[in-house]
Structures are given as structure tokens and as C-alpha cells.
Amino acid sequence: MTASHLTLITGASRGLGRAMAEQLLQAGHMVLGISRRQEPQLAELAHKAGAELIQWEQDLSDPVAASARLSAWLKTLDGRRFDSVTLINNAGTVGNPAPLASAVEAELSLALRIGLEAPMLLTAAFLGATREWRGARKVLNISSGLGRNAMGSQAPYCAAKAGMDHFSRAVALEEAHAPNGARIVSLAPGIVDTDMQVQLRSASAEKFPDRTRFVSMKEEGRLDSPATAADKVLKYLAREDFGRNPVADVRDPA
């Protein structure tokens, strides 16, 4: 039986998610990318690396359908094949920064479905479907400093990331007592120059007073590239102590 590693990534078509997918494919992982669109360049990279890539076009604003699809797919696989299986909940949205009093109801609901409900449902599906697999099981939730330090005009994003942190704590307690229990970490990846950062820098200064802070970080070169951030995140994922602290920061010492 050939030893192999399976990694599932949401939001794999751009930004940090895409960078992680690229690096995992180059390392020979089998990758399932779950995004709103397929990315031909990822398929080309997988072919060159001799790695297996599956890409799903899946709208995470319907998390019940997404989790059902994931559960069904995982149950078609032979869990004896893999030395490790990892779910990376990376997808999220900052929406249009604005005070909660002026939030658009549909946008507020969307941010919470994608940022919190989808990761919870996908994690539940993943844990249930891989319960009897032989390999190491991990869940990596991509969190944010804004889940731990509030910011005005970002209530949905702050709430989603804070919820992600706390459900990770709860699941860590559950899995600690399960046979081959999964290790779970909600990890802040540092400050990454992604489309979300562009969106924050482009926001209305009137509705988002902290806009100038994000502009300054860009101008002062304090942002990691997606590739640099992905390297740090994946190194944390590979640490021996992964899961010891269910809420962590990529900059935490080993």
C-alpha cells in the first residue's frame, strides 16, 4: 500500500488557500480544493508535480449541501490508503466594512454562513466520515487576530473568527477522548496581502475608520505574501505539538 497524504482546502482558488494548495501539491499530497471556481493553473501544477488534484465548484453559502457532499465523497475513499488526512477551513469573507447598524441583512447572513457555519458543518462531516481511518487526522481552521481583538465595522468577521476559535476549543476536548482523535487548531496566519486586504484598503473611510491602518501596513511592507504565509502555516501544521493549543498564532514558538 502506497503511503500518501490527503488535504482538503476551502477557498483554494486564490490567496492563502491557493498558495497552500500549490505547496501541498508540490510536496506530493492529494488535494481536494473546494472553491467557487476551478483554477486551471492548479491543475497544470498538479500534473507537473505528479500529484492528484480534485477541484470542486462549491458555494459555501449553502453549507448543508457542501458538508453532505464532503461526507459522501470521503466515504467513497479507502481510509487505509492515507497516512494523514487534513481539513483546512480557509474560506472567509470580510464583506463590505460598515457599522452593524447599517449592515445589509443578506451580506451579514452570508458572512456568518461562509465564515462560521460552513467550517463547523464541514468539520462535523470530516470527523464523522474519517472516524475509522488509520492515519493522523487534523483540522486546521484559518482564524485571524480580529477573532481575538475586536475592530469596529468588522463585527461579522470578528464574530465568525471568534466563533471558529471557540468551536475549535470545544472540538479539541471531544476528540481528546476519541480513538485516533483528530487534532484541531484555529490558527491566526499573520497579516497576509490577499484580496481581503485590498477590500479593506478600498473601503469607505467614513464607514471603516481603521482603513488607514491597513493602508499603512501595505505601504510599510508589513504584509506577508500568500506564498510566505502559506509556508509558515504549513510548517505549523507539521509541528509535533500541533493541537496542543487549539487556538494559536503562526508566530507562536515551538
Side-chain angles (χ1 to χ4, degrees), residues 9 12 17-27 31 41-42 45 227:
I9 308 175
R18 174 171 171 166
M20 288 190 289
E22 290 173 346
Q23 293 178 26
L24 288 165
L25 288 168
Q26 289 168 341
V31 172
Q41 291 180 338
L42 274 182
L45 174 63

Side-chain angles (χ1 to χ4, degrees), residues 19-233:
M20 288 190 289
E22 290 173 346
Q23 293 178 26
L24 288 165
L25 288 168
Q26 289 168 341
H29 284 229
M30 176 180 174
V31 172
L32 169 65
I34 305 172
S35 306
R36 286 177 295 178
R37 66 175 185 274
Q38 295 192 21
E39 183 50 63
Q41 291 180 338
L42 274 182
E44 293 173 10
L45 174 63
H47 178 71
K48 290 178 181 177
E52 187 173 357
L53 170 68
I54 302 103
Q55 296 190 80
W56 287 358
E57 291 184 3
Q58 184 72 47
D59 187 354
L60 294 180
S61 67
D62 185 357
V64 173
S67 63
R69 183 181 184 186
L70 180 63
S71 179
W73 181 75
L74 285 168
K75 289 174 182 177
T76 69
L77 303 179
D78 182 358
R80 294 172 298 175
R81 172 184 171 190
F82 301 103
D83 285 341
S84 73
V85 56
T86 302
L87 170 65
I88 303 179
N89 284 307
N90 165 73
T93 177
V94 295
N96 294 309
L100 189 65
S102 60
V104 177
E105 289 88 346
E107 292 178 358
L108 179 60
S109 178
L110 180 69
L112 292 172
R113 286 201 307 274
I114 293 174
L116 181 56
E117 188 178 345
M120 287 192 73
L121 268 67
L122 291 172
T123 299
F126 172 83
L127 294 174
T130 63
R131 177 64 66 197
E132 304 302 324
W133 288 27
R134 70 174 181 86
R137 301 157 64 236
K138 298 180 182 180
V139 177
L140 173 59
N141 289 324
I142 301 299
S143 186
S144 169
L146 292 186
R148 302 156 199 183
N149 298 284
M151 177 177 288
S153 299
Q154 280 288 280
Y157 189 76
C158 290
K161 294 304 184 183
M164 176 179 276
D165 285 353
H166 213 44
F167 98 70
S168 298
R169 292 184 180 101
V171 173
L173 294 174
E174 297 163 2
E175 291 296 309
H177 302 290
N180 192 26
R183 289 182 283 166
I184 181 168
V185 174
S186 189
L187 185 71
I191 309 171
V192 190
D193 197 7
T194 63
D195 290 347
M196 285 188 184
Q197 285 281 331
V198 173
Q199 195 169 356
L200 292 171
R201 294 195 296 268
S202 304
S204 162
E206 180 181 356
K207 292 184 177 180
F208 185 44
D210 282 291
R211 172 185 174 274
T212 54
R213 176 177 162 189
F214 289 89
V215 172
S216 296
M217 287 191 292
K218 174 67 172 178
E219 293 176 345
E220 295 167 7
R222 290 192 282 143
L223 305 178
D224 276 344
S225 70
T228 298
D231 180 66
K232 293 178 181 179
V233 168

Side-chain angles (χ1 to χ4, degrees), residues 232-252:
K232 293 178 181 179
V233 168
L234 294 177
K235 284 179 177 174
Y236 192 99
L237 178 64
R239 281 170 45 160
E240 288 293 328
D241 66 345
F242 181 87
R244 182 176 300 166
N245 296 316
V247 175
D249 189 292
V250 73
R251 294 160 286 198
D252 291 343

